[in-house]
Amino acid sequence: MTPDSTHRYGSVSRWLHWGMALCIVLLPISALLPDLFEDRAVQSFFRNGHKQIGSLMWVLIWLRAAWAWACRHQRPPSVGLLAKLGHWALYALMVLIPSIGLLRQYGSGRAFSPLGLPLFPGFDPSQKIEWMVELGGLLHGELGWALLALAFGHAAMAFWHRRTGQNDVLPRMMNVAPKS
């Protein structure tokens, strides 16, 4: 296990980063796949997968935040204000989107056991909490698309910085040699 340094992220930071990146890519796929199938069992499989991946991302973001706080004095510095704001926006969306999904799930009256852990029991769906369901319906998917766009922009900027030769940040998070 390599620690973070002022020039490069360590193995824990990289595993958390790439695990979350994988979740961000898989979440829209798992959200769209149910609509491609008419079989309710297949639809349910993919919807459940979406919830499990979202739950995993929610856990990973909190682990990552705790790890970043613990290593805050030995991490690479931000390359500028826009990069810092972009990262904060990514983190905010990664907390907000699954939180809104959880709120919608609870408000619907359906039980939820992410990753096999019972989080909350269901209740009579006729007693559902409308504002929670409506908030989730209004924001969860739209913010998810914003997160995906922001994540692709994040990756594009890392490659852009490498291509232009100024602030080559890619070696911080990948096993590539710095561009000379």
Side-chain angles (χ1 to χ4, degrees), residues 2 8-9 14 18 162 170-178:
T2 57
R8 182 181 170 100
Y9 292 100
R14 284 185 274 139
W18 292 110
R162 183 168 179 82
L170 216 49
R172 293 176 173 192
M173 200 54 81
M174 294 180 72
N175 287 326
V176 295

Side-chain angles (χ1 to χ4, degrees), residues 34 37-49:
F37 299 94
E38 291 187 24
D39 185 303
R40 291 211 182 265
V42 174
Q43 290 176 343
S44 178
F45 172 79
F46 286 115
R47 282 197 180 92
N48 188 47

